[in-house]
Amino acid sequence: MAAPPEHTQFAYRALKEMGVWDAPPASAARTLAAPAQAAKALKYSANGRFLAWAAGDEVRVADAQTLAPVATIARAGVVDVRFSPKGTYVVTWERFSKPADGSAGHNLLVWDAASGAARGGFVHRTFSEDALQWTDDERHCAKLFPGEVRFYAPGALDAAALTLRVDGAASFSVSPGRAPSVAVFVPERGSKPALLRMYAVGAFARPTASKTFFKAEKVDFYWHRLGTSLLVLTQTDVDNTGRSYYGESSLYFLAAAGTFDCRVVLDREGPIHDVAWSPDEKEFAVVYGFMPAKAALFNHRAEPVFDLGTAPRNLVRFNPHGRVLAVAGFGNLSGAIDLWDRKKLAKICSIDAHGASLCAWAPDGRYLMAATLSPRLRVDNGIRIWHYSGALVHSQPIDELYYVEWRPAPPARFPQRAALSPVPPGIAVRSPAPPAKPAGAYRPPHARSRPAADSPRSLSDMAERKVFGAAVPGAARVPVGASAEMVAKAAEKKRTRTRKKPKDAEPAPPAAPQPAEPLSEVDALKRIRQLKKKLAQIDALAARRDAGDALEVNQLAKIESRPLIDAEIAALAAKFSSLSA
């Protein structure tokens, strides 16, 4: 094992460079050797021992602490690199292409991290981060095949050591922990509900837990770090009620031993944005509901513990010690981050990380990184790091930044104090950039030397102001293509109409109202049918209101209009009876 790092570290990958930074309290950069071609992947091993990157026709593995070369894998076209849990093996993925000889072209490959020797491979046409999953002890790696999950020993990837058969399996997840489990999901088909089963790895005769649910086309798995509990976020692509553009979502809690399972009851309608387990306790946080969304803490029985408030937020992250919680709003939201003290259940501060698309805690639990990445945003790319007190301690702009990652390290190397510590001495606290002044309306270069009132607003405006081929600021608006003679004739006609109009002419008396046509028997029946349809709609809205659904203001007003409609129906019925008589 590599020596424990004295400080935290992160690596980044951009279009024209890669580098490693010694993060606070130290702050120094070490640039990796610039490859001939832009790097396609960069990844630390889970134990922080190795750093690997893919560029050009090779994959390099280096010691993460010293950056000394460890191994070189000669393989062109690699676009993703990952490590097994202990860093013993490197897994690479490249785009699938069928060989000319018709043989099986493996594009998901396993290599020895220390020597770079090939161990085997698979065909995996579509990229997926969890295509090959490992148990923490590296005894098995698992891959999904039609109707089954196959487990392989890393030294013998040509034949499966174990096979779990589940008809219709669409996804699976291997748990962390010393006693690994595997969860397999089967989506709903026709009238059959979706199914999720959990098995102990190596004991597939009988599931340890099982759960069925409707409205589940795909799921996300969230394991507790010990592998004893699982949160399953179910999703559909379409919301049949029409209330959400993003489909429907639900959250379920399952114990790996099969002793407890339930649906997590959320008190707001809308999508579930993010879920995170606390690394220190058996509790989890959820951000859910239509914007502004609500964030809340739940215990190991899926019962609400604390309300973190309602705000435009869609992401939640615990620090590695579980003491500080970050609730953020990224993507199309403002980029604000709220930091909470979990022990005191009090808000520490708020941070403005406008434009950020990544949020991650340092292994020491004291520093939070936010990065603006390409290609989501191609301007203002860079890395910012805050102390959990809210002080900005690092800011580094990097053009076309694609990826950044903290070097993993056990939280035990960075013990927490009983009270949250202040910013360490010797760190320069930076002032955040002042907000930009509003630039106002855009003015093209040709109009910037003129007063705003005289500047043409568009190309058509410019064309309309051209008289005899020259643009006259403030001139009367002239139709495009009109000659001077046409403009003069139009002006003369306007003056003539003005002279002919009497100045003191008496206004014409208003026309007497015409008597309404008598209502026929057919018209009365049509109107009564229309009003009865409105009554049926009002009854449906009233039933939704009584069931507890939240109605719009116009829907409530429609319910209140029922007496008027009843009165009109009674009047029409009386008139209809008189017509029939």
Side-chain angles (χ1 to χ4, degrees):
M1 294 291 294
E6 299 177 357
H7 44 71
T8 56
Q9 179 190 100
F10 66 86
Y12 68 90
R13 176 176 65 89
L15 177 64
K16 298 180 180 179
E17 62 175 314
M18 293 187 299
V20 173
W21 272 83
D22 295 330
S27 185
R30 289 178 287 172
T31 303
L32 299 175
Q37 300 180 15
K40 297 294 185 182
L42 178 72
K43 191 69 177 177
Y44 280 108
S45 61
N47 59 3
R49 181 182 179 185
F50 295 127
L51 175 64
W53 63 91
D57 56 357
E58 63 183 12
V59 176
R60 295 185 182 182
V61 181
D63 183 280
Q65 180 69 18
T66 64
L67 300 184
V70 174
T72 299
I73 301 170
R75 187 74 181 184
V78 173
V79 296
D80 186 72
V81 176
R82 297 183 184 273
F83 284 92
S84 59
K86 293 183 177 181
T88 309
Y89 303 98
V90 177
V91 182
T92 63
W93 183 87
E94 58 204 57
R95 291 183 176 85
F96 176 79
S97 60
K98 192 172 182 179
D101 58 3
S103 61
H106 292 167
N107 64 325
L108 181 66
L109 303 170
V110 180
W111 313 81
D112 186 275
S115 65
R119 295 299 184 186
F122 307 92
V123 175
H124 196 79
R125 296 175 183 270
T126 305
F127 172 72
S128 174
E129 293 183 357
D130 54 1
L132 196 65
Q133 301 184 34
W134 299 78
T135 57
D136 278 357
D137 57 9
E138 294 188 355
R139 293 182 60 188
H140 296 98
C141 59
K143 188 178 184 302
L144 180 66
F145 290 85
E148 60 187 25
V149 180
R150 298 178 189 173
F151 290 78
Y152 297 85
L157 297 179
D158 54 342
L162 302 169
T163 301
L164 170 60
R165 291 182 174 85
V166 180
D167 291 337
S171 60
F172 79 104
S173 179
V174 176
S175 76
R178 297 180 179 179
S181 300
V182 57
V184 183
F185 170 70
V186 180
E188 58 181 328
R189 290 177 294 181
S191 60
K192 293 183 178 180
L195 171 67
L196 186 134
R197 287 179 177 170
M198 296 173 63
Y199 299 85
V201 174
F204 300 147
R206 186 176 181 180
T208 58
S210 181
K211 184 72 175 176
T212 59
F213 29 70
F214 286 96
K215 297 182 180 180
E217 297 174 358
K218 56 185 177 181
V219 298
D220 292 325
F221 301 94
Y222 297 89
W223 288 98
H224 187 268
R225 67 179 182 87
L226 299 177
T228 55
S229 302
L230 173 65
L231 290 170
V232 181
L233 175 59
T234 65
Q235 295 175 309
T236 61
D237 292 330
V238 178
D239 184 356
N240 294 326
T241 65
R243 298 178 185 177
S244 174
Y245 174 80
Y246 301 99
E248 297 180 81
S249 56
S250 299
L251 187 64
Y252 296 88
F253 179 98
L254 292 90
T259 55
F260 178 74
D261 66 76
C262 70
R263 178 175 179 174
V264 181
V265 179
L266 305 176
D267 57 1
R268 284 176 67 94
E269 292 186 352
I272 299 173
H273 303 285
D274 198 16
V275 180
W277 280 100
S278 168
D280 190 43
E281 301 288 342
K282 276 199 172 182
E283 66 178 13
F284 57 93
V286 187
V287 182
Y288 59 95
F290 294 114
M291 290 295 166
K294 180 177 179 180
L297 288 171
F298 295 81
N299 62 16
H300 67 286
R301 306 296 289 183
E303 299 167 340
V305 174
F306 184 72
D307 184 354
L308 294 167
T310 301
R313 306 289 184 264
N314 58 4
L315 182 141
V316 59
R317 294 287 185 271
F318 283 92
N319 78 339
H321 300 83
R323 175 66 187 272
V324 184
L325 179 67
V327 184
F330 286 172
N332 56 356
L333 300 180
S334 63
I337 305 175
D338 298 329
L339 298 183
W340 289 78
D341 185 342
R342 172 60 188 91
K343 185 176 180 180
K344 297 181 179 180
L345 292 177
K347 187 175 177 180
I348 302 172
C349 64
S350 292
I351 294 171
D352 182 13
H354 181 74
S357 50
L358 178 143
C359 177
W361 284 99
D364 64 0
R366 294 178 174 88
Y367 300 96
L368 179 70
M369 173 194 291
T372 303
L373 305 179
S374 290
R376 189 187 177 278
L377 286 176
R378 296 189 180 275
V379 295
D380 298 331
N381 285 185
I383 300 166
R384 287 169 287 175
I385 300 176
W386 287 268
H387 187 264
Y388 54 37
S389 63
L392 179 64
V393 298
H394 182 84
S395 181
Q396 180 67 32
I398 302 175
D399 291 338
E400 293 200 50
L401 176 65
Y402 292 131
Y403 182 77
V404 62
E405 179 189 8
W406 289 103
R407 180 188 177 190
R413 294 183 183 174
F414 309 95
Q416 289 276 333
R417 299 178 181 178
L420 295 178
S421 57
V423 180
I427 292 184
V429 177
R430 301 168 181 263
S431 300
K437 295 181 180 180
Y442 172 77
R443 298 183 67 194
H446 68 271
R448 291 171 186 171
S449 59
R450 304 172 181 170
D454 291 338
S455 300
R457 292 187 294 271
S458 62
L459 292 176
S460 60
D461 194 6
M462 292 176 60
E464 291 176 2
R465 291 193 184 198
K466 283 188 177 181
V467 179
F468 304 111
V472 180
R477 298 175 67 87
V478 179
V480 179
S483 63
E485 184 180 358
M486 294 171 62
V487 173
K489 286 183 178 180
E492 181 64 27
K493 287 182 179 180
K494 185 175 181 180
R495 287 193 294 270
T496 303
R497 286 195 300 269
T498 303
R499 286 195 298 269
K500 289 182 179 180
K501 183 178 180 180
K503 295 183 179 179
D504 299 327
E506 294 292 334
Q514 298 294 328
E517 295 184 2
L519 189 67
S520 65
E521 182 177 348
V522 175
D523 293 337
L525 287 173
K526 286 182 178 179
R527 181 59 180 165
I528 290 174
R529 282 198 297 269
Q530 292 173 356
L531 294 174
K532 286 185 176 180
K533 286 183 180 178
K534 288 187 177 181
L535 286 179
Q537 296 171 355
I538 291 174
D539 291 339
L541 289 174
R544 286 179 54 192
R545 179 195 62 188
D546 297 340
D549 290 355
L551 300 182
E552 302 291 339
V553 176
N554 60 341
Q555 293 174 325
L556 294 172
K558 191 171 185 178
I559 295 175
E560 298 297 330
S561 68
R562 184 185 180 103
L564 299 177
I565 296 176
D566 288 335
E568 186 175 355
I569 290 177
L572 287 172
K575 188 174 292 187
F576 175 69
S577 60
S578 64
L579 292 174
S580 300

